Amino acid sequence: MQSSNRKIDPSRRRALKADGSPDDNDRVEIGPTKLAFDEWEALGLTTPNLARMREFRLQRIVDQLQKRDLAGVLLFDPLNIRYATDSTNMQVWIMHNHARACFVTASGYMVLWDFHGGDHLSAHLPLVKELRHGASFFYFETGDLTNQHAARFAGEIESLLAEHCGTNKRIAVDKIEIAGLRELDKLGIDVGDGQAVMEHARVIKGDDEINAMRCSIASTEIAMRLMQDASVEGASENDIWSVLHAENIRRGGEWIECRIMSTGPRTNPWFQESGPRIVSNGELLALDTDLIGPYGICADLSRTWVIGDVEPTAEQRRLYRIAYDHIMYNIDMLKPGMRFREVSEKGLRLPEEFRPQRYGVMMHGVGLCDEYPSIRYPEDVEDYGYDGVLEPGVALCVEAYIGAVGGHEGVKLEDQVIITEDGFENLTRYPFEEKLLA
């Protein structure tokens, strides 16, 4: 991984922000706000060099394509497009309306098909060599002409292969409408699994991505503190949750994947999203940020606290201590070279009463969102587990949900870490609750 010791100094370059992006109040590209830059500077954080981060990511994709003898990868998932191009356009809308696409060849030649009227959104990105239109072939957009549009798009892929890839017609595709896949098949293009290509490209974070992750986490933790301050008797769950969302946007964050936050008896079982419930003093509040922050980087942190200035119950303390000990033990054992199944085997076992409602994973990768790998609890390895190796640069979220079947409350805790050359670095700084650990 490349190294960087450049600290934030907004005054050093009048025309550029600390991450190398234009210091232009009217610029098109999205990014962190002045508030975020000021807070990161106060924390002594290093910003990413965006140009270098983009080049690193493109090389990761190229390496995977060459390793697999693929001519290129065709991307429709907006997060994969973001990784390849660092461009955005209505990210959540595009997730269910595949109107953008990107093709990256094994030589690094990159073509972006953007939604109509969006040419200006990627004009600042020199790694995008061609900008096109016409990647929409889903019924809402193309109706009875869907097959016609899909055939035209597939023909463009065939032409790109002939121009840039010689006789190799093996490509990977992450996600595609059925009509598009059938048209590629008609042209004799050999289509493989693009999700595997991109997950393995994205799994190793370069130094600039790690710096971006530190910044995103820091902004999220500031927002969490304001959210905790708003956790007062008489507020609704939605009142409290809205603080996290608003403060994320204020700092240049992008969206929140879900709204998993609950209080009191709604903390058990887990996965209940925030609602109109009015909170009371003495109740637990548990949340999972699942937040896409500045630079499109996921900050996936979980905390639980007590509403109001009251002493927790013995049962609340017991649940919290079990959750805390669980993630701390599982973090402390991490090191490069461990296999996923080894992590599952050596991890701290949950007490039997909490296994039926265990979280879906012991830990998972994280980057632009939840990513490869998923490392399972021992109970789930046989049915869902797969193997692999932890390497330096892998970012992981280590988590636990502790709540018994029929229990009154539950506790959720989660930290975000990075595997280093000799162990790990915990990127999370948000404090745990002393009164729940007492």
Side-chain angles (χ1 to χ4, degrees):
M1 296 184 292
Q2 66 273 59
S3 61
S4 172
N5 59 5
R6 182 170 64 86
K7 296 294 183 180
I8 293 175
D9 183 5
S11 65
R12 186 168 60 183
R13 293 178 177 174
R14 294 181 180 178
L16 297 177
K17 292 181 181 290
D19 54 15
S21 59
D23 191 4
D24 177 0
N25 194 48
D26 299 324
R27 71 180 192 170
V28 172
E29 59 182 302
I30 64 176
T33 63
K34 182 179 184 301
L35 173 63
F37 280 117
D38 289 346
E39 289 170 341
W40 298 340
E41 181 183 15
L43 291 168
L45 294 177
T46 303
T47 53
N49 179 300
L50 293 182
R52 190 171 55 204
M53 184 176 78
R54 293 160 183 158
E55 291 171 356
F56 175 87
R57 287 174 168 176
L58 177 57
Q59 189 60 50
R60 289 286 306 173
I61 298 172
V62 167
D63 289 346
Q64 283 294 317
L65 294 174
Q66 293 179 356
K67 177 181 178 180
R68 299 163 187 261
D69 190 27
L70 291 166
V73 60
L74 177 58
L75 308 173
F76 287 90
D77 186 317
L79 295 179
N80 283 334
I81 296 174
R82 175 67 175 274
Y83 185 85
T85 68
D86 204 25
S87 68
T88 64
N89 187 347
M90 306 179 294
Q91 292 292 83
V92 177
W93 190 85
I94 293 293
M95 288 181 188
H96 57 91
N97 296 286
H98 290 163
R100 303 181 84 214
C102 177
F103 187 66
V104 182
T105 72
S107 63
Y109 191 84
M110 188 188 302
V111 180
L112 174 65
W113 288 261
D114 217 329
F115 193 67
H116 65 83
D119 296 25
H120 55 295
L121 298 178
S122 58
H124 62 288
L125 298 168
L127 297 182
V128 178
K129 301 305 182 185
E130 286 189 51
L131 181 63
R132 302 187 181 192
H133 305 281
S136 302
F137 41 89
F138 51 93
Y139 195 83
F140 160 58
E141 182 76 7
T142 52
D144 293 339
L145 300 176
T146 294
N147 289 337
Q148 177 181 326
H149 283 270
R152 183 176 64 188
F153 179 83
E156 291 190 41
I157 299 299
E158 183 182 43
S159 296
L160 283 168
L161 288 172
E163 182 177 357
H164 296 281
C165 306
T167 60
N168 190 344
K169 299 184 72 172
R170 298 181 62 250
I171 70 169
V173 182
D174 61 352
K175 298 175 182 178
I176 191 170
E177 301 287 336
I178 292 173
L181 178 60
R182 287 177 174 164
E183 295 299 330
L184 292 173
D185 287 342
K186 288 179 183 177
L187 296 174
I189 296 172
D190 185 358
V191 176
D193 184 5
Q195 292 189 47
V197 170
M198 294 305 296
E199 292 284 357
H200 282 272
R202 288 163 57 173
V203 69
I204 303 296
K205 276 64 183 178
D207 290 341
D208 291 295
E209 288 181 290
I210 295 170
N211 286 336
M213 187 171 288
R214 289 191 180 100
C215 291
S216 182
I217 290 173
S219 291
T220 301
E221 291 178 333
I222 292 170
M224 288 170 66
R225 173 52 60 191
L226 295 170
M227 182 187 186
Q228 188 165 2
D229 292 343
S231 300
V232 296
E233 186 172 39
S236 73
E237 290 178 350
N238 284 343
D239 290 335
I240 299 167
W241 182 257
S242 68
V243 175
L244 182 69
H245 187 83
E247 296 299 330
N248 179 45
I249 300 302
R250 286 187 69 208
R251 289 162 176 80
E254 300 185 15
W255 75 85
I256 298 180
E257 300 251 76
C258 46
R259 43 192 274 185
I260 300 177
M261 189 210 80
S262 52
T263 59
R266 295 187 74 245
T267 61
N268 189 342
W270 190 236
F271 289 114
Q272 299 190 60
E273 296 193 289
S274 70
R277 183 179 188 274
I278 305 301
V279 308
S280 299
N281 286 337
E283 295 178 332
L284 291 182
L285 179 151
L287 76 143
D288 192 336
T289 60
D290 286 315
L291 180 154
I292 309 303
Y295 302 116
I297 298 291
C298 183
D300 191 5
L301 315 174
S302 294
R303 286 295 184 265
T304 300
W305 54 71
V306 178
I307 303 292
D309 186 18
V310 298
E311 287 299 309
T313 67
E315 177 63 5
Q316 288 172 339
R317 286 194 176 101
R318 183 178 79 95
L319 297 174
Y320 195 92
R321 170 58 72 175
I322 293 171
Y324 174 83
D325 289 345
H326 188 78
I327 68 167
M328 290 296 103
Y329 183 97
N330 288 343
I331 289 172
D332 287 342
M333 71 175 179
L334 293 174
K335 60 183 179 181
M338 291 187 77
R339 302 198 68 83
F340 302 164
R341 291 180 182 270
E342 179 186 3
V343 175
S344 296
E345 293 167 0
K346 292 185 176 179
L348 186 64
R349 294 299 299 275
L350 290 171
E352 288 191 16
E353 65 177 303
F354 302 117
R355 292 178 192 172
Q357 292 191 157
R358 64 188 175 275
Y359 199 70
V361 293
M362 284 177 60
M363 53 191 77
H364 63 80
V366 63
L368 296 178
C369 59
D370 290 359
E371 298 178 353
Y372 170 89
S374 289
I375 300 180
R376 305 287 178 169
Y377 279 104
E379 294 86 353
D380 303 313
V381 168
E382 183 176 349
D383 290 333
Y384 298 104
Y386 50 80
D387 211 359
V389 179
L390 295 182
E391 300 178 69
V394 172
L396 294 170
C397 290
V398 183
E399 53 192 320
Y401 172 73
I402 301 298
V405 174
H408 178 64
E409 292 179 301
V411 168
K412 181 69 163 54
L413 297 177
E414 178 180 16
D415 275 6
Q416 195 160 321
V417 307
I418 191 84
I419 301 299
T420 63
E421 295 290 343
D422 56 2
F424 68 90
E425 177 190 348
N426 193 331
L427 305 180
T428 315
R429 297 292 179 266
Y430 202 84
F432 293 99
E433 299 299 299
E434 291 184 5
K435 65 182 180 181
L436 281 165
L437 289 172

